[in-house]
Amino acid sequence: SFRARLGVMRSLLQQFEATSDEGNREVLVNQVATLLGELHDQHVECLEGRGRDSLIVNQLVARAGIIADAWAARATSSAIEQEELEVLNFYADGYEEKAMKAALRWYQQSAFRDFDGFIDAYTSPERRVPDRRGGLPQHSLFATDVFARDLDELPGPAAPRALLQRLCQALGPRHTVVQTALAELEFLLDTKKFVPFHTRRICLPMGG
């Protein structure tokens, strides 16, 4: 069942964080990846629900997904950018702040490399964007052959933006790393020189 799989996944992640043996960690991550596939295949409605504990569930699933993707990228010669691999590895190794800083840097660099695509992404009609490659639910209209577009096919910094969202989701909205990152995002793409503004002091005569 859904709750049983979540409980097993939580236990596996705790064991993963508690051990330093690479062989054991690999076995645990493979089991986590299998559970993730079962959750997305059999319980997609539960994952997209808005129950009382949906925030905790989504946080757990996002955390598991990033760790599973990090190990999958290590084990295969997948064609992901080096910056993405760096972010995934930082998070999987427990360096959450370094992972967020690397993700912000990657997002900034990608946006400036393709600024026209960045503008296109924000002015195009709204569509459902996968948070990981091949991550759209099969029941989604945007997963059909007519509309399907993976992260690498979307305009602008779609891949770094999706990974930033996943990091924020995995850490939770109250995490200090997330709050700091959201504040930095406000000015991340601002290229204008900061000019302090001082209001003029107006002196009025007494009674004026």
Side-chain angles (χ1 to χ4, degrees), residues 128-178:
R128 182 162 182 173
V129 177
D131 61 358
R132 59 194 297 214
R133 288 176 176 78
L136 280 177
Q138 292 304 310
H139 70 271
S140 172
L141 174 67
F142 293 105
T144 59
D145 293 337
V146 178
F147 299 105
R149 296 180 71 185
D150 213 346
L151 286 176
D152 297 325
E153 302 172 310
L154 294 169
R161 182 171 62 243
L163 189 52
L164 269 174
Q165 292 173 342
R166 294 175 67 189
L167 283 174
C168 291
Q169 192 173 29
L171 295 172
R174 297 185 180 181
H175 200 290
T176 54
V177 170
V178 173

Side-chain angles (χ1 to χ4, degrees), residues 2 11 23 25 28 36 48 73 77-78 87 90 93 103 141 148 151-152 154 160 164 166 172 194 200:
F2 179 63
S11 175
R25 285 163 71 89
L28 292 168
L36 273 174
E48 296 184 350
S77 56
S78 53
V87 176
F90 273 143
D93 292 337
L141 174 67
L151 286 176
D152 297 325
L154 294 169
L164 269 174
R166 294 175 67 189
F194 173 71
R200 290 188 299 172

